[in-house]
Amino acid sequence: MIGFVFPGQGTVRIGMGGWLRRDPAGAAVLARADELLPEPVSELCARGPLDELVDTLHAQPAVTACNLAALAVLGDRGVEPDIVAGHSVGEISALCAAGVLDVDTALRLVADRARLMADLPDTGGMTAVLGLTPQRVEELADEAARPGEPLVVGLENAPDHTVVSGATAAVDRLVALATAAGARKVVALKVSNAFHSPLMAGALDGWAEAVRATPMRPPRVPVVPNATAEPTTDLPTIVDALIAQLTARVRWTETMRVLADAETLVEVGDSKVLAGLLRGVGARCVSMADPAAVRRLRRPEPAA
């Protein structure tokens, strides 16, 4: 069994997608993204400037374009998934891999998501806490929150890597609490707002409308949505989970445990972040950031 995982917005960097632009299948997808997206992403990925690339409006389409280019490279080599998942905005790429969306539709949908989230007022932030359990971080987040200043666990990235998301003042209080509680590291994320938190509720109606208006097909393979971490081939469940994901927790640790039984796991994009997280749960993952690793990929032979 082959599992595909797709990275999200936090993996964007100048130079990403470089080798994908030199592969005919990858280059075709990136060229198509430049045609369809409101802002062409190839040049921005290649040369920046960084402050524009990491802006939500550009980062989400950019990482999706690279993910889909990498997916095309694998498809050109006959490597197809048996199960898929995507981290945060990477879930849109995963739906493309499962056949729910085609490339054009996925690019248009991610542009809608980026615009809706970028249009929200900047009232919050996100901070990663390393070295504490998600349960302990959730307790600290509850302690740091105040009426009108929400703070929640936005992402469970690994057993000891949790991201809180919410109002700026509450995040600041959480930093002090987590440090006092013995966190190994507390790192503010370079994001424009509090993703996967109640502060995204202002974009939820528009996102639900965009998702429900998007043509989708039943998946060819199971999808593991962020909001549930449960494999499914039921299209209404997938749609509901994709909508909920905007404000819901990304249950990536649970997702990784679902995927860990796959014989081969591939991080499909130009990133090694998810491969690193998967090592934390004892799973080996091939990163497409290494072109040599891609050339070695083959579908496992069926059991006799």
Side-chain angles (χ1 to χ4, degrees):
M1 182 170 76
I2 295 181
F4 284 3
V5 292
F6 294 84
Q9 177 175 343
T11 63
V12 293
R13 70 185 192 287
I14 292 176
M16 74 176 188
W19 82 266
L20 295 169
R21 285 188 287 274
R22 297 189 293 273
D23 183 284
V29 171
L30 291 171
R32 184 61 175 158
D34 285 344
E35 292 175 9
L36 285 179
L37 293 170
E39 298 289 337
V41 295
S42 289
E43 185 66 20
L44 194 58
C45 288
R47 296 180 178 82
L50 183 61
D51 60 341
E52 289 186 28
L53 179 59
V54 300
D55 185 279
T56 296
L57 190 63
H58 303 128
Q60 294 187 14
V63 74
T64 302
C66 288
N67 290 353
L68 298 181
L71 178 64
V73 170
L74 290 177
D76 193 50
R77 287 158 172 75
V79 182
E80 300 287 344
D82 299 300
I83 189 169
V84 299
H87 188 274
S88 190
V89 72
E91 190 163 294
I92 292 176
S93 303
L95 295 182
C96 193
V100 176
L101 305 171
D102 60 32
V103 169
D104 286 11
T105 304
L107 290 167
R108 292 188 180 103
L109 185 59
V110 78
D112 286 339
R113 187 182 192 272
R115 174 183 52 79
L116 287 163
M117 294 172 74
D119 284 348
L120 291 175
D122 181 1
T123 57
M126 304 176 76
T127 287
V129 180
L130 283 69
L132 299 178
T133 66
Q135 294 78 10
R136 182 61 177 135
V137 175
E138 187 165 23
E139 293 170 359
L140 297 175
D142 290 343
E143 186 178 343
R146 300 285 187 276
E149 296 178 353
L151 186 67
V152 298
V153 170
L155 303 97
E156 292 182 21
N157 281 336
D160 66 345
H161 181 171
T162 306
V163 177
V164 295
S165 182
T168 302
V171 172
D172 291 342
R173 288 190 288 269
L174 182 281
V175 170
L177 290 170
T179 301
R184 183 172 73 254
K185 196 172 185 180
V186 182
V187 184
L189 304 189
K190 295 180 180 179
V191 293
S192 60
N193 217 318
F195 306 146
H196 304 290
S197 85
L199 294 180
M200 293 290 101
L204 198 53
D205 287 347
W207 176 234
E209 182 179 350
V211 171
R212 297 198 185 282
T214 297
M216 297 189 189
R217 298 178 295 272
R220 296 189 296 262
V221 299
V223 176
V224 189
N226 289 176
T228 67
E230 296 179 354
T232 182
T233 56
D234 181 67
L235 185 57
T237 298
I238 289 168
V239 169
D240 289 346
L242 183 62
I243 292 169
Q245 189 219 55
L246 206 66
T247 56
R249 182 179 306 191
V250 173
R251 300 182 178 277
W252 193 250
T253 303
E254 297 170 63
T255 298
M256 290 191 295
R257 288 177 176 141
V258 170
L259 295 166
D261 289 337
E263 297 168 68
T264 303
L265 286 169
V266 187
E267 181 171 2
V268 185
D270 193 358
S271 161
K272 298 180 180 179
V273 171
L274 301 185
L277 292 175
L278 279 155
R279 282 195 296 273
V281 296
R284 181 179 176 276
C285 180
V286 175
S287 167
M288 287 192 69
D290 176 7
V294 176
R295 288 192 289 270
R296 293 193 298 269
L297 277 173
R298 297 287 186 274
R299 282 199 62 85
E301 293 296 327

